[in-house]
Amino acid sequence: MNLNINNVVKQYEVQRALDDFTFSIQKVPSLVIVGPSGGGKSTLLRLFAGLELATSGEICINGQQIINDESWLKEYRKNVGVVFQSYNLFPHWTAMENIIMPLIKVHGYSVEQAKETCLHLLKKFDLLEHVDKIPAKLSGGQQQRIAIARALAINSELLLFDEPTSALDPQLTSGVLEMIVELKKEGTDILMVTHEMAFAKKAADYVVFIDQGKAIEHGTADDFFNHPKSSVLREFLSHTTI
Ligand code: ADP
Ligand code: MG
């Protein structure tokens, strides 16, 4: 993916979540965003997803500038897959319904096409046995994998993840991370906020550290973890286990 973020400010009433944020990358398949809580990571992800607009500044993803136009945003949002910490599955729908309903209602698939896409994905990720279960009958890890399959179903070339494993027990986390590594191998671009440093070290092509609304430091995973320059990043890494 290519990203160009120029002087982005996001102001919430009294809180400045992003403060003259500037960052760019070219041809990076997987970008991991790390940083302390409240630093602006989720805000940035929501701007990338077109769910909110910047107060000022410019965001370009893969050459496409995000613009303040409701009908443009509606179209843009359709093609960006987003996975949040809380899986956001509809509780009264089965796994299949959760995946096919957006395809039918938002993307104009026929019921047959949508089911075919859904079954293909569930089979591929070893989730077929859960097809008719509602979320309450699934573990957190299984729910999150269904949520990822739903995000993938729209065939997005870029998937955004906001702490996809932070609500999961460690033993459920690995299944979700393995699924994300698999997607990366298949060529899906990934942009992920996470506290899983071991994952970041292994799967990130590039890492950016965000604190107090700014991109403090960024680099290849090797530079970032083995040769951190700023004292805030060194301090942050000293509190994480890899
Ligand atoms: P992170 O994901 O890094 O923990 P966030 O992007 O969620 O950080 O938040 C950055 C800052 O913006 C925090 O101080 C948070 O309280 C504030 N913030 C985020 N969303 C809103 C909102 N909708 N309204 C007001 N303040 C917000
Ligand atoms: Mg967050």
Side-chain angles (χ1 to χ4, degrees):
M1 96 193 77
N2 299 332
L3 278 181
N4 275 304
I5 307 158
N6 291 318
N7 308 108
V8 166
V9 171
K10 179 64 182 176
Q11 182 80 33
Y12 293 111
E13 295 168 9
V14 292
Q15 185 67 39
R16 185 161 285 216
L18 294 173
D19 186 14
D20 203 15
F21 190 99
T22 295
F23 174 67
S24 73
I25 48 170
Q26 303 295 320
K27 294 191 180 151
V28 170
S30 67
L31 175 71
V32 166
I33 300 173
V34 301
S37 181
K41 306 181 297 298
S42 294
T43 301
L44 188 63
L45 202 102
R46 288 197 299 271
L47 298 184
F48 289 152
L51 297 171
E52 285 179 22
L53 286 167
T55 309
S56 62
E58 247 181 30
I59 298 181
C60 256
I61 298 188
N62 294 332
Q64 197 171 36
Q65 185 171 353
I66 296 185
I67 55 173
N68 185 359
D69 175 284
E70 211 29 67
S71 66
W72 184 90
L73 281 167
K74 209 172 153 209
E75 237 1 79
Y76 173 77
R77 279 184 215 122
K78 276 191 196 175
N79 296 309
V80 183
V82 193
V83 177
F84 297 99
Q85 173 182 337
S86 50
Y87 335 113
N88 291 357
L89 296 174
F90 287 100
H92 53 288
W93 282 349
T94 63
M96 174 177 272
E97 287 164 342
N98 266 286
I99 294 174
I100 66 172
M101 289 311 234
L103 295 178
I104 297 165
K105 303 267 185 221
V106 182
H107 293 269
Y109 282 48
S110 68
V111 175
E112 291 70 31
Q113 282 173 321
K115 282 187 175 172
E116 193 184 320
T117 301
C118 169
L119 292 172
H120 170 75
L121 279 169
L122 293 185
K123 182 159 186 260
K124 181 168 163 185
F125 291 105
D126 226 3
L127 292 163
L128 213 45
E129 64 190 291
H130 306 308
V131 63
D132 292 323
K133 294 182 192 165
I134 57 165
K137 301 281 175 199
L138 297 167
S139 73
Q142 289 159 346
Q143 289 184 54
Q144 189 59 304
R145 284 158 67 209
I146 298 288
I148 297 173
R150 178 179 59 182
L152 263 180
I154 60 171
N155 240 339
S156 165
E157 284 167 13
L158 169 65
L159 284 187
L160 309 178
F161 294 90
D162 193 355
E163 300 194 27
T165 59
S166 60
L168 301 176
D169 296 338
Q171 68 268 32
L172 299 177
T173 294
S174 61
V176 171
L177 295 180
E178 276 163 26
M179 185 170 175
I180 297 171
V181 169
E182 187 62 33
L183 299 180
K184 175 175 147 64
K185 278 191 199 143
E186 289 176 4
T188 304
D189 281 354
I190 286 163
L191 197 158
M192 175 156 148
V193 176
T194 187
H195 293 293
E196 295 287 335
M197 293 300 154
F199 172 83
K201 209 168 181 181
K202 187 172 83 177
D205 297 303
Y206 208 78
V207 189
V208 56
F209 175 69
I210 297 181
D211 188 19
Q212 298 186 9
K214 289 186 190 294
I216 305 287
E217 187 164 340
H218 47 88
T220 61
D222 177 46
D223 274 349
F224 190 88
F225 289 106
N226 299 326
H227 313 285
K229 293 185 205 74
S230 59
S231 55
V232 265
L233 175 56
R234 281 203 295 267
E235 169 76 9
F236 178 79
L237 292 175
S238 74
H239 294 294
T240 62
T241 45
I242 297 180

